[in-house]
Amino acid sequence: MKCAYYNKKISAELYQDLDVALILPKYEKTLTISKEREAWTEEEIDKFFDVIPKDTYDYVLFRVFFELGCRIGELLGLEVCDYDRNTRKIAILRQRIHINGVGYTNTNKLKTNASYRLILISEDLSNLLNDYLDETCKTKNDLIFPTHRNTLRRKLYAYEEKSGISHHIPHSIRHTTATNYAKAITNFHELEVASRKLGHSPEMFMRTYANHISDIEEEDLLKKVSCGSKRGS
């Protein structure tokens, strides 16, 4: 099957569908899926990646998904030309959508104006992505991840099942990345950087994710403010 894909005997998207059907374990459709706004824990992320072989397409796919924190359509719409190896930046310029009677296609119409953005990725992920692109010999207009939305969901649920963690919908990956940024922000400049990375305005970012700071972190913040206010007393 892999040879057929590399020799262009079957399409990349068909290859991914067959990969799910033949290799990944089956999962029950009756599984309780978490709500969109439920973020992954660090333990869940570690367990999830532990069951994905490191030298596979799926490992690269989910590593990029978690680090970018992009929308699923943006992830699947990425083309090789959107990635600059020299700057380690990925441009979000389009998304992959399904149109009845046409099938899957890329469109340059994104959700908001802020959705068009450049995202810097880590050196570790950049090296991983470089090796993947070199191995698959993709051209600049090829999709980086030629996968259907439903195929990605099936992969996600199968690996969650295999790792024994709670089940999340794909959008919770974006929410997890955003929540982790919200917890790490210490000043307005960092807020601007994080909101730009997620394709939000700073105001929208704060309204959506700031309420996920834990009670302990809020208590620590309150103590810092209280100490500052006592200096003038």
Side-chain angles (χ1 to χ4, degrees):
M1 182 176 66
K2 190 172 185 179
C3 291
Y5 163 55
Y6 285 152
N7 290 311
K8 301 187 183 301
K9 299 296 183 182
I10 60 175
S11 70
E13 292 178 338
L14 175 59
Y15 169 66
Q16 288 302 313
D17 285 339
L18 292 174
D19 180 56
V20 171
L22 298 178
I23 299 176
L24 292 181
K26 294 183 178 180
Y27 65 91
E28 297 295 333
K29 292 184 177 180
T30 55
L31 289 173
T32 301
I33 308 302
S34 72
K35 295 181 179 179
E36 175 180 315
R37 296 304 180 190
E38 184 176 337
W40 293 52
T41 65
E42 290 186 11
E43 182 181 10
E44 287 178 325
I45 295 174
D46 289 341
K47 288 183 176 180
F48 179 77
F49 280 102
D50 281 345
V51 301
I52 307 178
K54 301 295 186 293
D55 59 347
T56 61
Y57 169 96
D58 292 347
Y59 186 78
V60 182
L61 170 70
F62 285 107
R63 277 290 308 276
V64 173
F65 200 179
F66 269 92
E67 185 161 325
L68 291 188
C70 56
R71 301 174 180 91
I72 185 172
E74 295 171 346
L75 175 73
L76 301 183
L78 289 174
E79 297 178 1
V80 175
C81 60
D82 298 329
Y83 168 54
D84 188 329
R85 297 185 183 216
N86 296 323
T87 63
R88 303 198 329 262
K89 290 184 178 181
I90 293 179
I92 305 296
L93 302 173
R94 62 187 65 84
Q95 62 177 325
R96 195 152 182 80
I97 62 174
H98 183 268
I99 300 176
N100 290 335
V102 177
Y104 287 89
T105 185
N106 274 4
T107 174
N108 59 7
K109 185 177 181 180
L110 299 183
K111 187 173 182 179
T112 66
N113 290 335
S115 297
Y116 299 89
R117 59 203 189 275
L118 274 174
I119 302 176
L120 177 68
I121 62 175
S122 65
E123 186 173 352
D124 177 58
L125 180 59
S126 179
N127 292 334
L128 184 68
L129 189 54
N130 291 343
D131 290 343
Y132 161 72
L133 294 176
D134 289 341
E135 180 184 349
T136 53
C137 301
K138 292 180 177 294
T139 63
K140 65 178 184 178
N141 295 122
D142 285 340
L143 292 173
I144 295 180
F145 301 115
T147 299
H148 292 310
R149 286 171 177 260
N150 288 339
T151 302
L152 186 147
R153 291 188 183 95
R154 290 160 63 191
K155 287 175 180 286
L156 173 65
Y157 301 155
Y159 285 126
E160 286 178 328
E161 180 76 1
K162 188 175 181 179
S163 62
I165 65 175
S166 300
H167 290 271
H168 306 267
I169 63 174
H171 191 77
S172 66
I173 294 177
R174 171 176 168 80
H175 187 70
T176 299
T177 304
T179 300
N180 288 338
Y181 271 98
K183 291 178 179 179
I185 290 171
T186 59
N187 56 60
F188 185 74
H189 176 67
E190 291 179 348
L191 169 61
E192 288 185 312
V193 172
S195 59
R196 185 167 62 248
K197 177 185 178 74
L198 273 296
H200 283 306
S201 67
E203 295 77 15
M204 176 63 74
F205 186 92
M206 289 300 292
R207 285 200 303 269
T208 306
Y209 303 109
N211 61 326
H212 291 278
I213 300 175
S214 68
D215 291 339
I216 295 177
E217 291 167 321
E218 188 172 355
E219 182 67 29
D220 289 341
L221 182 62
L222 180 61
K223 290 179 181 178
K224 291 179 182 179
V225 174
S226 297
C227 289
S229 63
K230 291 177 181 177
R231 292 173 184 171
S233 61

